[in-house]
Amino acid sequence: RQILLIILILFSINSFSADIILRGMKVQDLSHEWRFTFSLSAPTNYRAFILQNPLRYVVDLRDVSTTAHLRYKEILGTPIRSFRTSAKPDNIFRMVFYLKRPVDSKVVVLQSSDGRPARLQVVFKLPAEKVVEIDGEHIPEDGFLVRQDGQRRFITLPVTG
């Protein structure tokens, strides 16, 4: 009976533990793009979303655990203020990126090849700047502009003296 009870306890503990191991993190600073690459023992499902006040990008990994100490030292000029991780119920491993400003972000699953471990990459980019040029000498008196595609757009420009 005791042996059966011990086997049952070990089986239940093992069935609730995470199967995939997060082995490490690599950070790449590419000037206007930052990549956080996570090495995993196997592919996993993930969920990514944004939270406000404070601005955060969150990535939840299913059935993942780690013994690695993941550290992020703030790189000047990056939109990432800090980074933390936590283990959540139901075998969810949560990674939270605290952001200084809004960014374009995505998660990419990198296919393993040549025996390399599975990798998950979180990519942050600064949003593209939008530039509008206005040539005051070419605005018609009626306030309409004719674009190259033939559409007319009404604009109002404040004039300062």
Side-chain angles (χ1 to χ4, degrees), residues 53-108:
N53 297 326
L55 184 59
R56 293 156 290 167
Y57 188 74
V58 179
V59 180
D60 285 343
L61 303 177
R62 177 155 299 286
D63 298 325
V64 171
S65 66
T66 188
T67 56
H69 190 71
L70 304 176
R71 289 185 181 211
Y72 168 71
K73 181 180 175 187
E74 183 180 356
I75 303 168
L76 292 177
T78 68
I80 297 105
R81 179 181 323 279
S82 63
F83 168 79
R84 73 171 176 83
T85 62
S86 64
K88 296 289 186 189
D90 300 327
N91 287 333
I92 299 294
F93 184 78
R94 177 165 283 180
M95 301 182 296
V96 181
F97 297 86
Y98 287 83
L99 303 173
K100 297 176 191 173
R101 58 185 174 268
V103 294
D104 294 332
S105 52
K106 66 180 177 179
V107 177
V108 179

Side-chain angles (χ1 to χ4, degrees), residues 7 14 63 89-90 101 109 115 122 127 134 138 141 144 151 156:
I7 292 172
N14 193 29
D63 298 325
D90 300 327
R101 58 185 174 268
V109 176
V122 181
I134 299 174
H138 295 93
E141 289 182 22
F144 283 92
Q151 294 182 342
T156 303

